[in-house]
Amino acid sequence: MPAVLILGGLLAYPLFLGVWLSLTNTVLGSPGQFVGFQNYIDLISDPTYRGAAMFSIAYTFFAEIGKVSLGLILALIVNQKFAGYRIARAMMLMPYVAPTVLSALAWLWLFDPQFSAISWLLMKIHLIHAPINFVGSPTHAQISVIVVNIWRGLPYFAIGYLAGLQGINKDLLEAAAIDGASAWQSFWRITWPLLLPVTTILVSFSAIFTLTDFQLIWTITRGGPTDATQVFTTLAYQRAITGGSLGQGAAVAISPIIFMIFFAWFVVRSVREERATA
């Protein structure tokens, strides 16, 4: 019973309150009236919301691709035993343990249009002739926040893949080598299939957190320029808190739950299948 009360108070009540607010026209200072699904209907015809939804999906999609590929490469490297490999594994966690806002502020300095260290380095090696305005144009800003999200989530994937790699029976790889399999064939036919269950769980949980990311984008771009990096969470904050339209902001915040339910169902299904085949 105490567990039910705690879960109900901490999880269920805020969720149901958000759903209820999304069905009203509540604004700051006024309780509002029940309006049914009008807020959701209005969102469909709202170009800012449609843009935020599209970028939220693209942001999640490209960030997950980057984290899977780079995380796997990093795990394969630190899975080898070389001088200082334990230090390399510890250093790998730094992006994950640093406070999100602090790391976002550091990236904001790196993206500075005049004093960016990235632009300075690229100019020194003659790849560019003028500083890049990383967060000043819509396309640059979208790419920049995706890069930061990949950097931030990379340790989560690398550690997960490293655990998966160390769980693979070495006899399988040795038997493949004796049979004449190349390194690529061993990876593609043995290592990668055995890492697929880990990949499913890593991507599903990461996608949920990426789709609801707020701190990185709000600290770096605040959804700009011209709403180019607007996502569900930043738009909900702007509509509900700074704009005062609590009902409309709640509708924006509740709308991505459909995607999160899908990801959660995918995780549960994958875990059940893994247990069935174990």
Side-chain angles (χ1 to χ4, degrees):
M1 182 59 74
V4 174
L5 291 176
I6 292 173
L7 288 174
L10 295 179
L11 298 178
Y13 175 72
L15 177 61
F16 286 126
L17 179 61
V19 173
W20 168 250
L21 284 174
S22 73
L23 302 175
T24 69
N25 60 357
T26 303
V27 295
L28 284 175
S30 172
Q33 301 293 325
F34 179 77
V35 295
F37 292 98
Q38 189 58 49
N39 286 327
Y40 294 97
I41 295 171
D42 292 341
L43 287 179
I44 294 172
S45 59
D46 183 343
T48 304
Y49 173 79
R50 291 203 302 268
M54 292 297 295
F55 181 64
S56 296
I57 294 170
Y59 177 71
T60 304
F61 178 75
F62 289 111
E64 295 312 307
I65 288 178
K67 284 183 275 191
V68 166
S69 53
L70 296 178
L72 179 57
I73 292 171
L74 189 56
L76 289 169
I77 293 172
V78 298
N79 191 42
Q80 308 299 318
K81 290 188 177 178
F82 52 87
Y85 74 94
R86 288 190 177 89
I87 297 175
R89 290 179 183 177
M91 294 288 290
M92 190 173 66
L93 292 173
M94 287 190 67
Y96 210 61
V97 298
T100 305
V101 174
L102 186 62
S103 55
L105 287 172
W107 275 99
L108 190 58
W109 175 77
L110 290 173
F111 290 152
D112 187 276
Q114 290 186 330
F115 305 106
S116 168
I118 300 173
S119 292
W120 176 83
L121 180 62
L122 294 176
M123 290 172 68
K124 281 291 180 184
I125 57 179
H126 305 291
L127 287 179
I128 60 174
H129 300 290
I132 300 173
N133 192 355
F134 288 99
V135 293
S137 74
T139 304
H140 287 171
Q142 290 173 338
I143 294 172
S144 298
V145 293
I146 291 173
V147 168
V148 177
N149 186 279
I150 292 172
W151 171 84
R152 175 75 180 168
L154 200 56
Y156 170 72
F157 278 80
I159 291 296
Y161 277 131
L162 182 61
L165 287 170
Q166 295 192 343
I168 294 176
N169 191 338
K170 298 291 186 297
D171 292 342
L172 293 173
L173 300 175
E174 290 174 2
I178 291 172
D179 290 341
S182 64
W184 170 251
Q185 288 172 327
S186 294
F187 171 78
W188 187 246
R189 295 183 182 278
I190 298 174
T191 305
W192 178 244
L194 292 174
L195 289 177
L196 276 179
V198 177
T199 303
T200 304
I201 293 174
L202 289 175
V203 170
S204 300
F205 277 111
S206 175
I208 290 172
F209 291 119
T210 304
L211 191 67
T212 56
D213 189 14
F214 175 79
Q215 295 181 68
L216 279 180
I217 293 179
W218 187 254
T219 305
I220 295 173
T221 66
R222 295 184 183 271
T226 61
D227 292 324
T229 58
Q230 202 75 263
V231 292
F232 289 119
T233 50
T234 55
L235 183 61
Y237 180 82
Q238 287 183 348
R239 294 285 170 86
I241 305 303
T242 59
S245 301
L246 294 178
Q248 196 176 62
V252 175
I254 293 296
S255 59
I257 281 184
I258 296 172
F259 298 101
M260 287 187 276
I261 290 174
F262 171 75
F263 289 134
W265 169 81
F266 200 64
V267 171
V268 172
R269 183 170 173 268
S270 300
V271 171
R272 285 180 177 173
E273 288 182 353
E274 187 178 357
R275 285 181 179 175
T277 55

